[in-house]
Amino acid sequence: MPAKSMHSYAETLYAILDEFKPRVCFEWGPGTSTQIMALHPSVQRLDSVENEQIFYDLIERLHYDNVNFHYFREMDEYVEALKGNYDFVFIDGRDRSRCLDVAKKHSPIVMLHDAARSDYRQAIHEYQFKVWTDFGQTVSLTNNIQVYSRLKSALNTLECDEPKEEKIRIIPQAEFKGMAV
């Protein structure tokens, strides 16, 4: 089943922010999530990375004192931008499987949007605990049993079953940029 909207993950994001009150956050793929986290009272710092110049130019116009925007054109630099420890990581950008792998080393809570895509399943299953929401379009991940218990409680009314894998087709015009549509 498709997500209710392009930003349907927001309910899950708000629930996680309210339950865990993360102070230091990281995201691959800025957008609405950036605004939600930047305005949440617990978030003191958000490091946000983008690899598409056009999106970076748009999002950089937002001015939040607690947000650091970074642009990395090269995919390896983009994926490896996450350094140090973070309370929470949100993934809604490119190369999500590699981002998932990097994120689990730096944060106890990782949230992935568009999680039903088959390309991400192997990386998702590298996490011990998963809570699916948003009709299976969003998954919150952890390897910590105490964090999982809190995730289950906070997301109880939003939780759903793991979805069937979605196959994404690549159109020739987007293939050179690695874009799935």
Side-chain angles (χ1 to χ4, degrees):
M1 174 178 250
K4 291 186 272 185
S5 75
M6 191 170 140
H7 307 296
S8 59
Y9 62 82
E11 280 183 281
T12 302
L13 181 55
Y14 280 120
I16 288 173
L17 294 173
D18 290 344
E19 172 65 23
F20 292 93
K21 297 179 181 27
R23 295 174 57 206
V24 183
C25 302
F26 184 93
E27 72 175 337
W28 280 285
T32 300
S33 59
T34 310
Q35 296 171 49
I36 292 170
M37 287 188 277
L39 296 173
H40 194 274
S42 73
V43 177
Q44 294 177 6
R45 188 181 93 217
L46 170 61
D47 293 328
S48 180
V49 298
E50 178 56 62
N51 80 315
E52 292 288 336
Q53 186 69 53
I54 192 166
F55 294 127
Y56 178 77
D57 291 344
L58 287 171
I59 202 73
E60 189 186 35
R61 293 178 189 167
L62 299 174
H63 295 287
Y64 296 106
D65 291 338
N66 60 343
V67 179
N68 302 305
F69 293 109
H70 305 279
Y71 171 73
F72 296 100
R73 185 171 183 264
E74 297 300 320
M75 193 54 62
D76 287 341
E77 290 179 296
Y78 171 80
V79 171
E80 297 297 327
L82 177 58
K83 296 181 184 339
N85 294 319
Y86 288 84
D87 301 322
F88 175 70
V89 172
F90 182 79
I91 304 171
D92 193 17
R94 300 280 180 234
D95 210 346
R96 295 177 197 196
S97 291
R98 285 180 55 204
C99 292
L100 281 166
D101 186 51
V102 170
K104 72 182 169 192
K105 300 167 191 155
H106 296 275
S107 179
I109 311 163
V110 177
M111 184 175 149
L112 173 68
H113 187 238
D114 297 322
R117 296 179 184 173
S118 61
D119 294 355
Y120 311 144
R121 287 307 167 96
Q122 184 176 346
I124 289 169
H125 288 292
E126 294 291 321
Y127 286 81
Q128 191 172 2
F129 304 107
K130 306 151 199 69
V131 180
W132 292 90
T133 56
D134 184 23
F135 299 98
Q137 295 300 313
T138 302
V139 65
S140 301
L141 306 156
T142 187
N143 287 319
N144 180 302
I145 188 69
Q146 288 85 14
V147 170
Y148 175 64
S149 178
R150 288 178 64 191
L151 279 171
K152 292 278 289 178
S153 177
L155 302 175
N156 182 41
T157 60
L158 304 173
E159 190 172 6
C160 66
D161 293 330
E162 181 174 346
K164 294 180 181 174
E165 294 180 8
E166 290 181 355
K167 300 290 185 198
I168 304 297
R169 65 185 173 86
I170 305 292
I171 60 171
Q173 297 89 336
E175 190 167 13
F176 77 94
K177 294 186 110 182
M179 298 172 68
V181 292

